[in-house]
Amino acid sequence: MIVTVDTRLRLALMSPLQAEIARKIAGFIQDGRWAVGDRISDAALSKELGTSRTPVRQVLQLLCEQGLVAQSPKAGFHLNRTIGESADLDTLIPPSDTEALFTSMMMARANGAIGDEASEAELADQFSVTRGAVRRALMRFSSEGLAERRPGHGWRFAECLDNKQAVEESYAYRILIECGAVCEKSFRPNTAELSALRAQQEKLSQSSLADISRADWFEANANFHATVVSWSQNRYLLQSIRRQNSLRRMTEYAEFTQLSEKRIHRAARDHLAVLDAIEAGDCKLAAAILYRHLSRTALPAEVPGEFD
């Protein structure tokens, strides 16, 4: 696939939101969500990603320039070309400077290098960047419920799941939300999304630890849990699980190196079992598997952290 210099420049100049959307859509393509020729609904993507249709359409139009997506006046967008499993998404969709700084700050916060409160000037000095760059990264934190602006140039960060009590309370809350969502009378799985989740989890269950990146692992698992909850058709349950995913992101990015290949494969098999039960129409069984999967008491004591 040939990407022109002009297209690369436009990709590099995407807003942080556009860059995030572009990388998620590229990941969906790589995971086989759509076959060549399948329609890509900008409305469905905007709903799934929790954003408006405008940035989604802008990203899809950029992907058209790369030959990944095609657009026709009557049929809208459709997949034009797949992305191989070995393709480097960082080369295809260059991460923005804001995205890189956001990740560095998130890791620093998880590791205790950033306290509960900090000023833009302090963070600019700490990361050797401009205050404008820090402000853009902090706005990303704010949009995900991870920080809030204080009077002046100060910011207060959300609590990290960095102690046993906070982690256990988070899992107890998630059990209530996720198992409850699956048992809602309004629960209706989306066939296309279920197939995409299955393909993603099957890939994880067969991958070696060396072939799985920190970001890909977290996003695959966060996407699984959020998508299953979204099938409850309950906006408040979905908001709750997205909030939990945001809190988990800081801690679990830092803990990724402690995760074993066996643990990854076991988590993926659990997810596949949940999907099997949902596809069979047995929501009680799906809820029971989710409960077992999320229950902290069922985890080996010697393995710190949890990523599902």
Side-chain angles (χ1 to χ4, degrees):
M1 182 183 346
I2 299 175
V3 182
T4 67
V5 174
D6 285 346
T7 302
R8 283 192 182 278
L9 179 60
R10 283 193 288 276
L11 286 169
L13 294 176
M14 286 189 295
S15 70
L17 175 61
Q18 290 173 324
E20 182 182 3
I21 292 171
R23 291 174 69 81
K24 286 184 176 179
I25 293 176
F28 293 156
I29 294 172
Q30 190 172 48
D31 290 334
R33 171 171 294 197
W34 304 286
V36 171
D38 283 355
R39 181 172 177 272
I40 300 176
S41 168
D42 57 311
L45 280 171
S46 65
K47 180 180 178 181
E48 179 179 351
L49 299 176
T51 186
S52 67
R53 293 177 66 175
T54 298
V56 172
R57 290 182 64 84
Q58 291 169 340
V59 167
L60 288 172
Q61 287 163 356
L62 275 174
L63 296 181
C64 285
E65 296 182 23
Q66 290 182 277
L68 285 173
V69 175
Q71 184 179 17
S72 60
K74 294 183 179 180
F77 297 99
H78 63 270
L79 186 65
N80 187 56
R81 192 192 303 263
T82 58
I83 301 175
E85 290 186 4
S86 60
D88 183 0
L89 291 184
D90 283 345
T91 299
L92 187 65
I93 310 292
S96 67
D97 291 341
T98 300
E99 180 71 19
L101 179 58
F102 171 77
T103 300
S104 296
M105 290 173 61
M106 186 164 55
M107 291 285 291
R109 171 63 179 150
N111 290 322
I114 296 178
D116 293 342
E117 295 189 12
S119 69
E120 293 176 5
E122 290 169 342
L123 293 170
D125 288 342
Q126 182 174 348
F127 292 93
S128 301
V129 295
T130 65
R131 284 176 59 174
V134 167
R135 189 175 298 114
R136 288 190 291 273
L138 286 169
M139 292 305 295
R140 169 79 181 277
F141 272 85
S142 178
S143 69
E144 297 198 13
L146 297 175
E148 62 177 356
R149 190 191 294 271
R150 308 295 291 169
H153 297 286
W155 289 78
R156 180 188 296 276
F157 290 89
E159 179 187 12
C160 286
L161 302 180
D162 57 359
N163 61 79
K164 183 180 179 182
Q165 181 178 351
V167 170
E168 289 179 348
E169 289 176 0
S170 172
Y171 275 94
Y173 181 71
R174 289 178 60 201
I175 286 172
L176 292 172
I177 294 298
E178 298 190 36
C179 295
V182 171
C183 294
E184 279 284 290
K185 292 180 180 180
S186 57
F187 186 83
R188 292 190 302 276
N190 178 289
T191 303
E193 291 176 355
L194 192 149
S195 296
L197 288 182
R198 184 181 297 282
Q200 194 173 49
Q201 294 301 316
E202 285 177 345
K203 180 181 176 181
L204 280 174
S205 71
Q206 299 167 11
S207 298
S208 67
L209 186 59
D211 294 330
I212 302 172
S213 73
R214 184 197 320 269
D216 288 345
W217 167 243
F218 180 83
E219 294 301 337
N221 284 281
N223 179 55
F224 171 85
H225 290 281
T227 301
V228 169
V229 170
S230 75
W231 293 339
S232 70
Q233 317 302 320
N234 187 311
R235 75 192 75 179
Y236 300 110
L237 294 179
L238 181 56
Q239 288 171 4
S240 294
I241 200 63
R242 283 177 172 166
R243 166 68 171 168
Q244 285 298 303
N245 281 341
S246 293
L247 290 175
R248 291 167 55 215
R249 183 190 298 268
M250 281 192 287
T251 303
E252 295 178 2
Y253 259 44
E255 292 180 347
F256 179 74
T257 55
Q258 302 173 14
L259 193 66
S260 68
E261 186 174 291
K262 180 179 179 180
R263 186 72 168 276
I264 288 178
H265 291 172
R266 186 178 70 182
R269 288 195 299 270
D270 281 353
H271 292 163
L272 289 168
V274 171
L275 295 177
D276 287 342
I278 290 173
E279 198 165 29
D282 194 339
C283 290
K284 288 186 178 180
L285 177 59
I289 297 170
L290 269 173
Y291 181 89
R292 181 194 67 188
H293 178 64
L294 293 169
S295 175
R296 297 296 293 174
T297 58
L299 298 175
E302 71 273 16
V303 182
E306 168 60 38
F307 292 74
D308 309 295

